[in-house]
Every structure is written in C-alpha cells, then in structure tokens.
Amino acid sequence: VFASADHNLAALGNELAVRGVNRVIGAATGRIISASGFEPSGVAGFHLPAGRFATADTVLEDVANMGLPELRPRVQQLRLELSRLSGGSIEHCFALLLVDAESRCEERLAAMLGMELNGMPLIGGSAGDLYFNPLGHPPGSTRLLYHGSAKRSAAVLCMVASASPVVAYCHNHYIQSDKKFVITDADPARRLVREIDGRPALEVYAAACGFRRPPRESRDFAPFPLMIRIGGHYYPRGMQRIYPDGALEFACALEPGLVVALAKPGDMIASLDGLFATMRQRIGVPELVIGVDCAARTAYMEREGLTQGIETLLLRHAVTGFSSLGEQFNTIHANNSFTCLGVASLS
C-alpha cells in the first residue's frame, strides 16, 4: 500500500489486520498514484494473489548501518524461501525495495542488493514527503509499513515470483546538453555540493540554467537536473535543497571530480508514451505497473499543466505507486526518474 503522509501508518496497518490483511508492506509519500491519478491525500495499492505469485519479504532495521556481511545472508534466505514457496519455478521474478529516505543510504544499499540479486530486476523508491513538505514529518513519525508495524530508519525488501512475464525500466524525459561541469567540492555522505568548477555551486548552477539571479526554491531547478553517465546511459541527479551558505543538497550523492552535464526537459508526455509502447512490445498490455515517480518530476508535471496527459497514460497502463524521494533500479539509486515494473496479463 502507498499512503499520503497525512495517514498514520500504524493505524492503517491495524485496520488492515482487522480485515485479515496481514502480509502487507507500504510507504508514506507526498503523492500517491491510484486509479484516480496523482493524489495528495489517500491510499492506493495492489494485491498479488497466491497461485499466480509467490512472495518472500524482510524488514532491514537500521539500514544505514547495515553492511554486506549482514545483508548477504538475508538475501540468500529470501531466495531460498521464494524458491520453496514457488515450487522452484522462478523464471519470472523481481525484487521490490521500499526505503526510508531519511536513512540516506540508498546508493550503497542498491549497489549491494543489485550485486546479490544477480540479475533479478530490482525497482524501489525512497519514502517520505520532504519535497512537497520541506519541514518534514513530525518527530517520531514513520514512513514504512511492514506486516502491520510502522517502521522508520529501515527498508523493506520483497522478492516476487510471477507466473507471467515482468519487465522493468528506469525512464526519464531529460536530454543532456553540451554544458559540462566538474564537481570540485562535495560531501557525498551528506549529498552536498559546495563548488562546481571551483566556484560556488549555486552561482554556477543558476547561471547554467539561465537564471539572472539564483532562485531560492530548489524546485525551480527541477527542469534542469545534472546528469551522469553510467554504463552508457545518462541518469539525472536532481537538487532538492538550497542552504543559506549556497551549498546544494542533491537527492543522490555526487563526488568530487565527477563530470556532470546539464540537462534540459524533453517532451514528458511523448517520452512516457514511448516507454509504455516499448513495454507493450515486450509483454503486451500490462495488467499491473508498479510505478515510482520522482517527486521532482511530479512537481514539474503539476507546474507545467501536464497532469491530465500523464494521468491518462498511467491509468491506461494500470499504474499504481507513489512519488518518491529517490528511485532504485538494479544497482543504481536514481532520481528525477519514473522507475517502473510491468506485469503481463495471463490471458
């Protein structure tokens, strides 16, 4: 389940348990993606029925301090459990990851899990509402739900075996420009960038985007994320907070010496339509698409008046999901992306 941040996850878990729904995982978020489109308040979700699907899941407590020695046996145990539950038939399978965004460990976590999953598609999202609500959650609030219990500073990993084919994508509508820069002063652990090309980061970034004066709101930079190249593909890196001293906090870590390219937005609706066309070629019209849409993309869509066109495509392809503070795809922690997994119909 995916619930807007105004919901109490513990209470939601209790209500579901009263109705006999105990095997449930979930995330709190600024926007949910439901049968009604993008909603700032509400609950959405999907059900994987036994007979067609087998699932094995675990909660990773204090995930920021978890290393490979602790993670590896958990993944191996899930694989064994999934094989047992599915009768050894795991030809079509995937992993779903939900992470508390406040843990700020997604880069390392995705890299470790991606290696341990050994080719099993992984998609995921970072839960939270900091993009739409910069003041954050009230003290003590939770962002994850696991089997009826609300969790914080954790991650939930679920492996799924499916009777029908699945396909996963990490999509964005940005186009890299010929403007390239070097990160010269950064704190990757805090995802801070202080200098670009040896000058104050905010000054350089704002000028590159064409702003006469540096904006005060991070969302003004949403149409122009920085892009890095990984394995022949460009992935956007969006900025989510401006500090009084001009330092910039990004949704993903950027290291000193990294070469980045400035991006500009393409046609958001046309590019998403192209993604779904590719999906239909692979698996036909999907019965379900689990979609994780970066909150910066969602905000850009709302600001540019693109909501109805995007919602039409999502509804046509049975997308259920949420707006995230980062997306996980195989070994990569991405952002400013629409990361999704399509499940084919049995018919």
Side-chain angles (χ1 to χ4, degrees):
V1 296
F2 309 114
S4 54
D6 56 352
H7 280 75
N8 182 308
L9 289 184
L12 178 60
N14 289 335
E15 288 296 326
L16 289 169
V18 168
R19 290 159 174 77
V21 181
N22 297 300
R23 290 290 303 278
V24 59
I25 63 174
T29 171
R31 299 285 189 276
I32 62 168
I33 306 173
S34 72
S36 299
F38 286 87
E39 296 184 278
S41 182
V43 179
F46 60 88
H47 172 232
L48 301 178
R52 283 190 58 187
F53 300 92
T55 65
D57 54 47
T58 188
V59 61
L60 307 173
E61 304 274 10
D62 191 22
V63 67
N65 294 312
M66 182 170 285
L68 187 58
E70 297 86 11
L71 192 63
R72 175 169 288 163
R74 303 286 288 274
V75 174
Q76 292 174 344
Q77 182 60 39
L78 285 185
R79 278 188 173 277
L80 291 173
E81 184 179 351
L82 187 66
S83 180
R84 177 181 62 82
L85 293 171
S86 64
S89 176
I90 54 173
E91 178 182 359
H92 307 300
C93 55
F94 65 93
L96 175 63
L97 179 68
L98 301 176
V99 190
D100 183 345
E102 288 295 292
S103 66
R104 298 191 177 207
C105 66
E106 295 98 327
E107 291 90 352
R108 184 170 54 84
L109 181 61
M112 291 189 296
L113 285 175
M115 290 186 297
E116 291 303 307
L117 290 171
N118 194 28
M120 180 186 294
L122 167 73
I123 70 159
S126 303
D129 189 31
L130 290 178
Y131 197 91
F132 295 105
N133 176 22
L135 296 179
H137 294 265
S141 62
T142 53
R143 287 164 282 275
L144 296 178
L145 181 65
Y146 180 74
H147 291 199
S149 297
K151 301 289 184 179
R152 63 181 307 175
S153 303
V156 175
L157 176 64
C158 180
M159 291 187 189
V160 181
S162 169
S164 52
V166 300
V167 62
Y169 298 101
C170 185
H171 164 83
N172 71 78
H173 68 287
Y174 300 101
I175 303 168
Q176 69 272 14
S177 72
D178 57 1
K179 295 181 180 180
K180 294 187 177 180
F181 312 91
V182 178
I183 305 298
T184 48
D185 184 9
D187 182 348
R190 297 172 61 196
R191 297 175 176 169
L192 293 181
V193 174
R194 301 186 184 93
E195 288 186 0
I196 299 175
D197 286 349
R199 295 162 52 204
L202 178 59
E203 174 187 319
V204 175
Y205 195 6
C209 295
F211 296 118
R212 292 184 179 180
R213 296 180 179 179
R216 297 180 178 180
E217 297 289 335
S218 60
R219 65 187 61 194
D220 291 330
F221 289 90
F224 311 105
L226 301 178
M227 302 194 83
I228 64 172
R229 185 167 178 155
I230 303 175
H233 298 278
Y234 279 93
Y235 294 89
R237 292 291 184 263
M239 190 263 291
Q240 64 181 15
R241 187 175 299 172
I242 302 172
Y243 286 87
D245 63 357
L248 307 178
E249 180 183 329
F250 283 77
C252 295
L254 295 172
E255 300 178 354
L258 187 67
V259 176
V260 296
L262 184 71
K264 57 183 179 181
D267 188 320
M268 192 175 191
I269 294 177
S271 64
L272 187 61
D273 193 24
L275 169 72
F276 286 128
T278 301
M279 181 182 291
R280 292 194 303 271
Q281 290 175 356
R282 290 282 303 276
I283 64 171
V285 178
E287 184 171 358
L288 167 70
V289 174
I290 305 169
V292 183
D293 192 57
C294 179
R297 277 175 50 94
T298 308
Y300 175 78
M301 170 198 75
E302 293 175 349
R303 187 174 63 184
E304 297 298 316
L306 302 173
T307 303
Q308 184 175 355
I310 297 294
E311 286 180 337
T312 298
L313 289 173
L314 299 186
L315 296 177
R316 188 183 303 161
H317 294 87
V319 178
T320 299
F322 67 104
S323 295
S324 67
L325 297 177
E327 305 79 56
Q328 293 81 52
F329 179 70
N330 295 337
T331 60
I332 297 171
H333 175 52
N335 72 300
N336 281 60
S337 75
F338 175 67
T339 298
C340 62
L341 182 132
V343 181
S345 172
L346 277 180
S347 57

